[in-house]
């Protein structure tokens, strides 16, 4: 069953200058993005920092207002919903933040942090019942039940992220945006958090929009992968299809940077030339063409559509077949 549908999503940020703060341009953070998430599915957004991944996640959750397109969640078009209309849906869609050190209020105990949403959406629960629920959630994410009395500064980064995950699942949501949940953690801890997210997904039937810049991480948790560049999706495919048969030059470059654990396997490293263009003044035609070694004249003049090259596999490239 389809849980979330995003159609032609756009989010532009005005650039203001001068004494009167006049708008002189727009940063095209998200430019015509479409994606779907089914119940129990993990869909990933992958790309370099600044390509618009986090903006998509926050716009889907209506923490930012879209400038175009539609967001349909559980058959509700929430694109123009205000705070009061969003309130009943908030418990069904949650967010796991990137930085576990900044996303937890240092003045609150862990019990207060996890139980805040429960007290708002389930006011009929008594204090004892709420405390029992918090202890159960702590056990679910692999922390001692008595952690509810402690403060965030008493925990390591991986433990803090577990607290953030417990907070996200406290209201039994159906959909969670995971905004680079392991990028701020040590490599040794990343696998533990990924495994925890997989276990929770299997146990509670959760759906994820998983935002990351590391394809090696995405490979272990995703069902479907969207590769982004400069506010647009350049390639979209089921995980196995994308890793076995990548078609876009940008995807090939990203995959070439993924370390191979077998020393006998040698992979040619693709080095991209130049820097990522500014979203304030994106290049004409294909946004990737200034850095693409295969670009032809048409690439600089016409924006290629996202077209299907195999079942469920779409590519934004004139040369893909």
């Amino acid at each position: 069953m389809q849980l979330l549908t995003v159609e032609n999503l756009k989010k532009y940020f005005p650039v203001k200058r001068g004494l009167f703060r006049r708008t002189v341009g727009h940063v095209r953070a998200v430019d015509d993005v479409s994606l779907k998430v089914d119940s129990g599915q993990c869909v990933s957004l992958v790309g370099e920092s600044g390509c618009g991944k986090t903006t998509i996640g926050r716009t889907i959750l209506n923490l930012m207002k879209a400038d175009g397109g539609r967001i349909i969640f559980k058959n509700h078009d929430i694109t123009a919903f205000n705070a009061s209309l969003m309130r009943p849906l908030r418990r069904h869609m949650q967010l796991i933040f990137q930085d576990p050190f900044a996303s937890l209020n240092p003045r609150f105990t862990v019990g207060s942090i996890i139980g805040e949403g429960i007290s708002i959406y389930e006011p009929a629960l008594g204090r004892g019942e709420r405390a029992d629920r918090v202890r159960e959630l702590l056990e679910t994410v692999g922390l001692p039940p008595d952690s509810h009395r402690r403060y965030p500064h008493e925990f390591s980064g991986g433990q803090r992220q577990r607290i953030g995950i417990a907070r996200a699942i406290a209201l039994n949501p159906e959909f969670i945006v995971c905004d680079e949940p392991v990028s701020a953690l040590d490599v040794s801890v990343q696998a533990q958090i990924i495994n925890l997210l997989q276990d929770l997904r299997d146990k509670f039937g959760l759906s994820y929009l998983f935002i990351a810049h590391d394809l090696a991480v995405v490979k272990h948790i995703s069902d479907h992968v969207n590769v982004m560049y400069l506010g647009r999706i350049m390639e979209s495919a089921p995980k196995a299809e994308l890793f076995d048969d990548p078609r876009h030059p940008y995807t090939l470059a990203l995959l070439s940077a993924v370390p191979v654990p077998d020393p006998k396997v040698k992979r040619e490293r693709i080095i991209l030339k130049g820097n990522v263009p500014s979203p304030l003044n994106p290049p004409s035609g294909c946004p990737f063409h200034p850095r693409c070694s295969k670009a032809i004249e048409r690439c600089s003049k016409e924006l290629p559509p996202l077209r299907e090259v195999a079942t469920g596999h779409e590519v934004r490239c004139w040369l893909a077949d």
Side-chain angles (χ1 to χ4, degrees):
M1 185 183 77
Q2 206 162 96
L3 183 68
L4 173 74
T5 303
V6 178
E7 299 175 351
N8 310 114
L9 185 67
K10 295 181 181 181
K11 181 61 185 177
Y12 298 167
F13 294 99
V15 177
K16 299 179 182 293
R17 289 179 186 159
L19 181 64
F20 298 103
R21 308 300 294 163
R22 291 186 178 136
T23 300
V24 296
H26 288 86
V27 174
R28 299 185 176 188
V30 180
D31 206 358
D32 198 23
V33 166
S34 299
L35 58 86
K36 296 177 182 178
V37 180
D38 293 336
S39 293
Q41 188 182 35
C42 178
V43 174
S44 293
L45 286 175
V46 185
E48 295 173 83
S49 297
C51 71
K53 306 184 300 294
T54 295
T55 302
I56 288 176
R58 291 175 182 264
T59 306
I60 287 172
L61 294 176
N62 226 325
L63 300 175
M64 297 177 176
K65 288 298 178 186
D67 293 316
R70 298 171 71 209
I71 303 163
I72 301 168
F73 179 72
K74 295 187 69 174
N75 296 320
H76 296 281
D77 187 345
I78 66 171
T79 317
F81 273 24
N82 57 26
S84 61
L85 290 173
M86 281 299 300
R87 185 180 173 90
L89 292 173
R90 286 284 179 216
R91 67 179 302 155
H92 301 292
M93 47 199 320
Q94 292 291 316
L95 173 64
I96 298 172
F97 294 90
Q98 176 180 358
D99 188 353
F101 297 93
S103 61
L104 303 177
N105 192 324
R107 298 185 179 185
F108 286 6
T109 63
V110 168
S112 298
I113 291 169
I114 297 174
E116 184 177 14
I118 300 173
S119 63
I120 292 172
Y121 281 93
E122 299 181 25
L125 279 183
R127 182 178 297 179
E129 292 176 296
R130 189 161 62 245
D132 289 342
R133 178 85 68 84
V134 169
R135 285 192 285 268
E136 183 183 341
L137 286 163
L138 286 168
E139 284 190 282
T140 300
V141 298
L143 291 174
D146 60 359
S147 299
H148 72 285
R149 302 179 185 275
R150 298 162 64 186
Y151 288 86
H153 73 270
E154 301 179 58
F155 296 88
S156 67
Q159 290 173 324
R160 292 190 202 192
Q161 196 60 293
R162 289 175 187 268
I163 295 167
I165 293 171
R167 175 176 59 185
I169 65 171
L171 294 172
N172 299 315
E174 296 174 60
F175 173 68
I176 299 178
V177 174
C178 305
D179 186 8
E180 302 207 39
V182 298
S183 63
L185 305 177
D186 293 340
V187 175
S188 59
V189 181
Q190 289 183 4
Q192 298 174 20
I193 298 299
I194 291 296
N195 289 336
L196 173 61
L197 289 171
Q198 286 180 311
D199 292 342
L200 293 174
R201 173 187 164 194
D202 296 338
K203 183 176 181 179
F204 299 114
L206 297 171
S207 302
Y208 295 141
L209 178 66
F210 193 89
I211 296 169
H213 60 264
D214 188 345
L215 276 168
V217 170
V218 163
K219 187 175 184 179
H220 290 287
I221 194 171
S222 305
D223 297 309
H224 196 96
V225 182
N226 297 283
V227 179
M228 285 193 67
Y229 185 81
L230 211 65
R232 293 184 182 273
I233 290 178
M234 309 308 286
E235 186 163 8
S236 176
K239 177 184 67 176
E241 176 82 10
L242 185 102
F243 281 88
D244 293 343
D245 187 23
R247 304 289 186 95
H248 198 281
Y250 181 58
T251 308
L252 290 166
L254 290 179
L255 286 171
S256 76
V258 176
V260 179
D262 187 350
K264 297 179 181 178
V265 176
K266 296 188 180 293
R267 177 182 286 168
E268 182 184 353
R269 182 76 167 88
I270 301 173
I271 307 297
L272 297 178
K273 59 185 180 182
N275 298 313
V276 180
S278 169
L280 179 61
N281 186 27
S284 59
C286 174
F288 185 64
H289 88 264
R291 306 177 71 192
C292 182
S293 60
K294 300 179 181 179
I296 58 176
E297 185 179 356
R298 187 181 187 184
C299 299
S300 63
K301 295 179 179 179
E302 299 179 51
L303 174 68
L306 198 61
R307 56 192 178 89
E308 192 170 66
V309 293
T311 304
H313 191 163
E314 297 178 312
V315 183
R316 191 185 298 278
C317 180
W318 291 120
L319 303 177
D321 52 18

